[in-house]
Amino acid sequence: MESLESSRFCSVALLLLISLLFSQLPSSLAQQQNEPNPTIRTMEDFSGYPIHEPGQFGSINLASSLSVDAQGLQKQIEELSSFSDAPSPSVTRVLYTDKDVSARRYVKNLMSLAGLSVREDAVGNIFGKWDGSEPNLPAVATGSHIDAIPYSGKYDGVVGVLGAIETINVLKRSGFKPKRSLEIILFTSEEPTRFGISCLGSRLLAGSKELAEALKTTVVDGQNVSFIEAARSAGYAEDEDLSNVFLKKGSYFAFIELHIEQGPILEDEGLDIGVVTAIAAPASLKVEFEGNGGHAGAVLMPYRNDAGLAAAELALAVEKHVLESESIDTVGTVGILELHPGAINSIPSKSHLEIDTRDIDEARRNTVIKKIQESANTIARKRKVKLTEFKIVNQDPPALSDKLVIKKMADASTELNLSHKMMISRAYHDSLFMARISPMGMIFIPCYKGYSHKPEEYSSPEDMANGVKVLSLTLAKLSLD
């Protein structure tokens, strides 16, 4: 037994001596080969543990050491989906409801278990930070949202929050130590479900004074509950001055959002990762017509002023003007069309439309909006109804991903041997507004048939693990810059 121990001791001593001798050689040789030191590799194989000092990984070495608990991540997604006001497999999780508050508590607990320091702001944006070795430097941030429109799926936004927490765990398991702090953000109300305002939390972080004032004074939900009242019911907005939520430009070194694609391209082309280069410029409109109404049998066709037909004609005009742009990047949707009084035997006296139009080219999108407004006026005159409202609710500019961030995401995908392509995001994301604070980028992963905002929404554990690895390596690269 003693001879065996003696032999083992001699072997270790010999390895240490060889390592010392190799360390005196010029490092350029190893760099020329772009491979790990063979002596270090032998010592790691012998001991079963990495020899690298924490934080001293080359990106190739770090890429090989990333281990994702994909099944654990899937389990957390299932658990979070149980905080829902709709039966499984649907998810309904609306801002400041009891289910939303419970889901927030669940995520904050996961952040704490990951060793993050957790804080919240006045509207419920949640931050979990891993302090770096130089905490005074602007941090690198990541995150997304967990609110869900009625009867939607489990993955939209959630992958970017729970996947970010798993990213921190992955980096800690690898032995990595960040220089810049890493911070996860759970954004409040990315979906417009309750108050009709999308990306509410990130808009405020980006410093929207108009929104802060409106939330304090005029914004109410469909039940006439004010934003401040709803926020306070969930434990937020003790101080009505929401400007303390604002972040200064440069607060973060970079922001990266991991998200399901919400479209079919990656799955159709058999690709692992989408590197997002731009987010399309969205705009939303509210339109109302008012006619005379009347009995469906008694009022003859030549004498009608039908607000319903005016709305139907405008819906077709939206499609016409979008197609006239001759760009595949221009899209338009009439997502809401309501008729009053809504009886089968009554001519509609009022109609209400809500229109969404988007494009990566802001000027082209604005041309579509102008044409829609011209058509609304023309239709009102022709049908002898009143155009009582044409309101541009929001008209946001597009956001471009930062070139350095794009390169880091693409390099990370390559080092991980994952196929990728450059893509445009045509869906709204909190990243659109984070781009006003810091350099921004997005990582897309495939989702089944491109489904989203419906119960069939799905991304496989393997695809989520790939996304987490790319996010991990990208955050690590940026943290060390």
Side-chain angles (χ1 to χ4, degrees):
M1 187 69 176
E2 290 182 3
S3 61
L4 180 61
E5 291 296 331
S6 176
S7 175
R8 176 182 286 271
F9 176 80
C10 291
S11 298
V12 172
L14 180 60
L15 286 171
L16 289 171
L17 179 59
I18 294 172
S19 175
L20 183 62
L21 290 171
F22 268 85
S23 68
Q24 304 305 312
L25 294 177
S27 60
S28 59
L29 182 60
Q31 292 172 350
Q32 289 169 6
Q33 299 298 323
N34 199 27
E35 291 183 357
N37 188 312
T39 307
I40 296 295
R41 180 182 293 170
T42 303
M43 293 177 67
E44 289 177 337
D45 291 342
F46 183 83
S47 66
Y49 294 96
I51 302 302
H52 303 82
E53 285 296 317
Q56 298 303 309
F57 287 97
S59 59
I60 298 293
N61 288 326
L62 180 56
S64 65
S65 69
L66 300 178
S67 175
V68 179
D69 182 4
Q71 295 307 315
L73 177 57
Q74 181 65 52
K75 181 182 178 184
Q76 290 172 358
I77 288 173
E78 297 295 335
E79 289 173 347
L80 188 59
S81 72
S82 68
F83 301 108
S84 169
D85 285 313
S88 180
S90 298
V91 178
T92 298
R93 194 162 46 242
V94 178
L95 178 65
Y96 298 147
T97 59
D98 290 344
K99 298 299 184 183
D100 179 50
V101 172
S102 296
R104 290 165 175 272
R105 190 179 301 119
Y106 176 84
V107 172
K108 285 186 286 186
N109 183 55
L110 289 179
M111 286 181 172
S112 296
L113 289 173
L116 306 179
S117 56
V118 182
R119 68 178 179 89
E120 299 175 88
D121 66 19
V123 296
N125 291 312
I126 300 172
F127 305 82
K129 179 182 279 189
W130 179 14
D131 285 330
S133 61
E134 298 187 29
N136 292 329
L137 293 174
V140 180
T142 183
S144 195
H145 67 98
I146 62 166
D147 60 315
I149 68 169
Y151 302 99
S152 60
K154 304 173 183 177
Y155 298 83
D156 174 20
V158 169
V159 170
V161 175
L162 299 186
I165 296 173
E166 175 59 13
T167 290
I168 298 298
N169 290 326
V170 165
L171 289 173
K172 287 189 173 185
R173 285 195 295 266
S174 76
F176 177 79
K177 297 288 186 181
K179 182 175 79 171
R180 296 179 183 274
S181 298
L182 299 179
E183 187 158 53
I184 298 172
I185 309 174
L186 187 163
F187 295 100
T188 281
S189 191
E190 192 263 2
E191 305 290 3
T193 311
R194 184 164 187 178
F195 292 102
I197 303 166
S198 58
C199 300
L200 187 153
S202 54
R203 282 180 190 270
L204 283 176
L205 290 175
S208 175
K209 295 178 182 178
E210 298 81 1
L211 177 57
E213 183 62 25
L215 291 174
K216 187 172 69 173
T217 57
T218 62
V219 173
V220 296
D221 66 10
Q223 304 302 313
N224 209 36
V225 176
S226 73
F227 174 82
I228 294 296
E229 183 182 352
R232 286 178 175 168
S233 73
Y236 302 110
E238 292 181 6
D239 182 354
E240 289 189 11
D241 182 10
L242 301 181
S243 65
N244 56 21
V245 173
F246 298 171
L247 294 178
K248 294 179 181 179
K249 188 175 180 63
S251 293
Y252 292 110
F253 182 68
F255 175 81
I256 318 291
E257 184 171 6
L258 173 63
H259 209 282
I260 61 171
E261 181 194 345
Q262 297 182 290
I265 295 173
L266 291 175
E267 184 182 63
D268 286 351
E269 296 184 14
L271 298 172
D272 300 312
I273 296 293
V275 174
V276 175
T277 58
I279 302 174
S284 56
L285 317 173
K286 286 186 178 180
V287 184
E288 291 188 357
F289 292 105
E290 185 174 332
N292 291 334
H295 193 285
V299 181
L300 301 179
M301 299 303 287
Y303 304 104
R304 297 189 179 195
N305 310 112
D306 191 327
L309 290 179
E313 190 170 344
L314 183 61
L316 291 173
V318 170
E319 180 187 41
K320 174 176 177 288
H321 298 320
V322 165
L323 294 175
E324 284 172 348
S325 78
E326 297 185 346
S327 170
I328 195 171
D329 294 318
T330 314
V331 294
T333 305
V334 179
I336 295 176
L337 199 164
E338 298 171 339
L339 304 179
H340 177 81
I344 190 172
N345 60 348
S346 180
I347 300 166
S349 59
K350 294 180 181 179
S351 59
H352 171 87
L353 302 91
E354 296 190 20
I355 302 165
D356 180 296
T357 181
R358 310 179 188 214
D359 202 316
I360 60 169
D361 185 303
E362 187 176 8
R364 191 166 57 208
R365 181 209 59 191
N366 291 345
T367 297
V368 170
I369 293 173
K370 183 180 178 182
K371 288 183 176 181
I372 292 172
Q373 186 168 18
E374 290 171 353
S375 288
N377 283 303
T378 299
I379 291 165
R381 288 194 300 269
K382 182 179 72 173
R383 293 192 173 274
K384 298 179 181 179
V385 298
K386 295 178 182 178
L387 178 62
T388 54
E389 181 177 39
F390 190 96
K391 180 181 179 182
I392 299 175
V393 179
N394 65 272
Q395 194 171 4
D396 296 305
L400 300 178
S401 297
D402 180 78
K403 290 182 178 179
L404 173 64
V405 176
I406 291 172
K407 184 177 187 304
K408 298 289 189 186
M409 295 187 294
D411 287 349
S413 300
T414 300
E415 289 169 27
L416 290 161
N417 295 315
L418 296 173
S419 56
H420 67 278
K421 72 176 295 180
M422 303 297 173
M423 300 182 69
I424 292 168
S425 172
R426 293 173 175 83
Y428 238 102
H429 299 288
D430 290 301
S431 293
L432 183 74
F433 300 97
M434 291 303 291
R436 302 177 186 181
I437 298 170
S438 74
M440 174 276 298
M442 290 193 73
I443 299 165
F444 277 172
I445 59 172
C447 56
Y448 174 66
K449 292 187 176 180
Y451 288 162
S452 189
H453 283 194
K454 57 194 295 187
E456 294 86 353
E457 181 180 273
Y458 176 75
S459 187
S460 71
E462 179 183 1
D463 286 329
M464 289 191 291
N466 287 339
V468 168
K469 285 182 179 181
V470 174
L471 179 61
S472 299
L473 194 52
T474 303
L475 293 182
K477 288 171 178 287
L478 291 167
S479 170
L480 297 177
D481 275 0

